[in-house]
Amino acid sequence: QVHVVESGGGLVQAGVSLRLSCAASGGIFSTYVMGWFRQAPGKSREFVAGVSKSGGRTRYADSVKGRFTISRDNAKNTVYLQMNSLKPEDTAVYYCAAARTQTVLPDVWAYDYWGQGTQVTVSS
């Protein structure tokens, strides 16, 4: 079983950058697809970005494509989400998740292990 813990959230102004980190433990990190999701108040949880086991393939939601970058360091058991040009609509709780799938999927149901989330608030 994998345990994931997010960090790096905060309150920032629109236009700035923020980097989220997710540290994993309890499993073989390199055998899991990793993803970032977010959930804004009153909305359902949505896919933000995902990265393959090796880090060679990534997938993004259209709303963040070109602004966010997901990466992973298998030696450190950590996945990152670099968020640039933040907008107020990026405000949400951001969750890290691990999946035992073979490919990067954008579906909540595909992910087996979830963190507690980290709040990102972007002011205008």
Side-chain angles (χ1 to χ4, degrees):
Q1 185 167 348
V2 176
H3 181 60
V4 294
V5 178
E6 306 93 339
S7 61
L11 171 62
V12 297
Q13 289 189 328
V16 303
S17 300
L18 201 60
R19 189 176 82 157
L20 304 183
S21 299
C22 170
S25 61
I28 303 175
F29 182 69
S30 60
T31 65
Y32 291 88
V33 165
M34 298 300 295
W36 285 98
F37 289 75
R38 67 186 181 187
Q39 187 166 16
K43 296 187 177 182
S44 57
R45 193 168 297 189
E46 64 175 4
F47 175 78
V48 175
V51 60
S52 64
K53 300 172 185 179
S54 67
R57 295 183 181 181
T58 57
R59 184 171 183 171
Y60 297 93
D62 288 342
S63 59
V64 306
K65 202 170 292 184
R67 298 189 298 124
F68 290 11
T69 302
I70 188 171
S71 62
R72 66 189 296 162
D73 186 338
N74 285 345
K76 296 182 178 180
N77 290 356
T78 302
V79 62
Y80 305 96
L81 185 67
Q82 178 67 43
M83 305 185 294
N84 298 331
S85 303
L86 281 163
K87 304 176 181 180
E89 50 264 43
D90 294 318
T91 295
V93 177
Y94 282 70
Y95 297 91
C96 175
R100 292 175 288 186
T101 57
Q102 294 303 310
T103 59
V104 180
L105 298 176
D107 309 286
V108 171
W109 57 259
Y111 291 77
D112 305 284
Y113 306 104
W114 294 82
Q116 293 299 307
T118 185
Q119 176 71 48
V120 172
T121 303
V122 184
S123 63
S124 58

